[in-house]
Structures are given as structure tokens and as C-alpha cells.
Amino acid sequence: TISHKGDFKLAIQSLYLKASRAYYAIRKHFNFTNNTKPRTILRLFDSMVKPILLYASEIWSLFNWRSNTKNCILHSLLHMKHKFESLHTKACRNALGVHKHASEFMVKAELGIYPLSMNILCNIYKYWQHILNSKDHSLVAECLRWALQNHIFGHENFVTKITSLFHAIDLPNVLTSATESSQLSKIGTASSMVSGCVS
């Protein structure tokens, strides 16, 4: 769902509502206060709610920040309150049986889990690898070449957003150039680095 302005606010709201319905359906059938292990609750959330909540997050999450500066991107990733994080935090608090105003960071630290933004970063990186490794002359490869060309000419698009993100989190430069022979660069060394960032 895309608004008339071309942003993804409606899409994020729609996914949040669908994920919320799925979460409360789980709560309806499981008594979280009746000695249910927190790990069980989180496993249910990860398997039945998170896929809905983060559907296509490799696309819409890149448009959550207003400018492509490092400070703005890091602020969006680490400090802004997003709907997907609020539902995740609610599930974590319910799993521990603590007050709804309990510290988000303390609750997730107690459970030993990371914010969903880390999952989103992994989704973005995997999707970027999928694009780069697409077959030559495919529609995906052709779209990438057009996006790269527009990015070089100063027109902001998906490539601009993703390269700004990688620069902000100090990943190596993974921007590939579109050559006349249509050969797309393949990147294999950055995967271990992104694993280190999120583990």
C-alpha cells in the first residue's frame, strides 16, 4: 500500500495492524501469565507475527529517515520509536510479565534479544545481495543499472538509500557500477562483517 505521495506510511500502518491482530490472537489462546516460558512466547512471536510485521521491510525501512546523512540514519535506527519496535517490545514485556512502562532496553537485555531493526538490516543486506547476484539481462539487473545511472546523476532512489545506510553503519562500499558489458559485481566478503554487526 503506497500513499498518493509515494511513501510507505500506509503500508507500515497496514502491516502493524495485521501483525497486532495476529499477536492478540496468540494471546487469546495462550495464557501468558500461567507459567508460560518467555522463550516459548518469543518463538511464537518470531514465527507467527514477525514475518507479517517485517514484510518487505528491505524496501520500506530505507525510507524511514528524512536525509541520507549518517547522523540522521543512525538516529532513525537507534532512537526513533517505530511501530514495529513498539509491538515487539509489548511482546517482550508480556513474556516477562512486567509493567507496560518497563524499560525497553532492560526488557530486551533480560531476554537476550536484539531490536527488530537488526533483523531489518539483515533483510536489507540479503536483498541487496540477491539483486547484485541476479542474472545478466534479467529485469532485476536492468532495473539496477537504471537505478545506478540515476544515482550517479544525483537522482535519489533505492540505490542512494541503501548505499547511504551501508556507509552510516561502516560497511564497505558495496555500490557496484553498471558496465556496458552488463556484468554485475559479486560481493562475498561483507557477509561476515554484517554478521558481526548484528551478533
Side-chain angles (χ1 to χ4, degrees):
T1 306
I2 303 175
S3 72
H4 67 282
K5 295 181 180 179
D7 59 46
F8 295 95
K9 291 181 180 179
L10 292 177
I12 297 173
Q13 178 67 18
S14 176
L15 292 173
Y16 173 78
L17 292 175
K18 291 178 181 179
S20 296
R21 286 194 290 268
Y23 175 65
Y24 287 113
I26 294 174
R27 290 202 62 183
K28 182 179 179 180
H29 295 286
F30 288 86
N31 184 3
F32 287 1
T33 61
N34 189 22
N35 297 324
T36 305
K37 293 181 179 180
R39 189 57 54 187
T40 301
I41 298 172
L42 295 178
R43 191 170 298 173
L44 288 169
F45 183 91
D46 289 345
S47 60
M48 303 179 70
V49 181
K50 189 163 71 174
I52 302 172
L53 197 59
L54 300 187
Y55 180 78
S57 60
E58 61 273 15
I59 301 297
W60 54 255
S61 62
L62 292 169
F63 296 86
N64 278 334
W65 50 81
R66 294 184 177 181
S67 67
N68 296 320
T69 62
K70 183 174 183 177
N71 288 339
C72 186
I73 293 173
L74 292 179
H75 176 75
S76 176
L77 290 174
L78 302 176
H79 302 294
M80 287 184 65
K81 300 296 182 181
H82 301 287
K83 285 185 175 295
F84 55 85
E85 292 289 8
S86 66
L87 184 59
H88 187 220
T89 301
K90 184 181 295 184
C92 293
R93 287 170 177 153
N94 292 153
L96 290 177
V98 298
H99 193 270
K100 64 179 181 179
H101 295 302
S103 170
E104 173 184 353
F105 296 104
M106 293 299 294
V107 167
K108 292 183 179 179
E110 177 70 20
L111 293 170
I113 60 176
Y114 292 96
L116 290 184
S117 57
M118 296 298 101
N119 296 97
I120 291 177
L121 287 177
C122 289
N123 291 345
I124 292 172
Y125 183 79
K126 290 177 182 178
Y127 184 62
W128 182 241
Q129 291 298 300
H130 167 71
I131 293 175
L132 293 180
N133 294 322
S134 58
K135 294 181 179 180
D136 293 344
H137 308 297
S138 67
L139 181 60
V140 174
E142 190 65 28
C143 289
L144 175 60
R145 281 189 286 274
W146 278 101
L148 284 167
Q149 183 177 358
N150 287 329
H151 169 72
I152 293 170
F153 289 147
H155 303 296
E156 183 176 299
N157 56 27
F158 174 78
V159 172
T160 308
K161 290 288 187 178
I162 203 167
T163 51
S164 299
L165 170 64
F166 289 158
H167 175 72
I169 61 177
D170 295 324
L171 277 178
N173 182 16
V174 295
L175 178 60
T176 179
S177 60
T179 62
E180 293 182 359
S181 59
S182 302
Q183 297 297 320
L184 297 177
S185 301
K186 294 184 179 180
I187 301 170
T189 57
S191 56
S192 59
M193 297 189 65
V194 78
S195 299
C197 290
V198 299
S199 63

